[in-house]
Amino acid sequence: AQSVTQLGSHVSVSEGALVLLRCNYSSSVPPYLFWYVQYPNQGLQLLLKYTSAATLVKGINGFEAEFKKSETSFHLTKPSAHMSDAAEYFCAVSASGGGADGLTFGKGTHLIIQP
Amino acid sequence: EADIYQTPRYLVIGTGKKITLECSQTMGHDKMYWYQQDPGMELHLIHYSYGVNSTEKGDLSSESTVSRIRTEHFPLTLESARPSHTSQYLCASSGRTIGNSPLHFGNGTRLTVT
């Protein structure tokens, strides 16, 4: 069985500060890992994904994430927060990378940007 | 610009009513999904389809039903709405594998049953 744990249901940072959203996973096989973002009143959109290529993955809007197998982590970072980054962020894991019926989402982290 | 469309965006309805939430996509994706989303909780897959005339139940038990008569259309129906059905419902579609192509989500339908 696979699972995802996102530490912190709410994270607050100042504009211009580093953003760090934590995600730990469990999977019996090498996983596919994803970060999705949900802006208010919208659906989710893909930020970035890890599919067993480079361990440092760059995504849209200046976000990146590093796959660390030894720590079973896939934390999301951005060097400098912008007000437009305020949103809900979801980490997700898939053992097979096949259909989304095999995709498990975390509970989400609400990112708050302080002016 | 959305490639996957959900209607209505908001719906308030009384207990016992039959409702259908519409979802259409223009990308020609074979795979389509319905998720239920509640605040502070993970998304739960309630139904999915891998093609026309193919539907399966997801990991969260749901009293809703779905149909897939056309590739682009994947409606969800509640025969008799109850307050416990109050939630946000998200429709999504994908290409052959999520490893190679992302899930595309609609903007959701927020359902309130009074």
Side-chain angles (χ1 to χ4, degrees), chain B residues 89-107:
Chain B
Y89 294 85
L90 291 171
C91 181
S93 71
S94 72
R96 292 191 66 185
T97 70
I98 57 171
N100 292 321
S101 71
L103 274 176
H104 292 259
F105 282 85
N107 286 333

Side-chain angles (χ1 to χ4, degrees), chain A residues 10-69:
Chain A
H10 291 78
V11 170
S12 180
V13 302
S14 299
E15 190 174 18
L18 171 72
V19 175
L20 170 61
L21 304 183
R22 300 178 187 273
C23 172
N24 289 90
Y25 69 91
S26 69
S27 175
S28 58
V29 298
Y32 292 80
L33 293 159
F34 307 83
W35 276 100
Y36 284 84
V37 61
Q38 184 178 31
Y39 298 105
N41 299 315
Q42 294 186 24
L44 281 70
Q45 66 181 85
L46 184 67
L47 265 181
L48 48 81
K49 64 180 180 182
Y50 167 77
T51 58
S52 77
T55 57
L56 182 62
V57 182
K58 294 188 184 298
I60 61 172
N61 301 337
F63 284 94
E64 61 183 36
E66 187 173 7
F67 171 67
K68 291 187 176 180
K69 183 178 179 181

Side-chain angles (χ1 to χ4, degrees), chain A residues 91-111:
Chain A
C91 183
V93 62
S94 171
S96 67
D101 57 303
L103 190 63
T104 300
F105 285 91
K107 293 185 177 182
T109 297
H110 186 63
L111 178 62

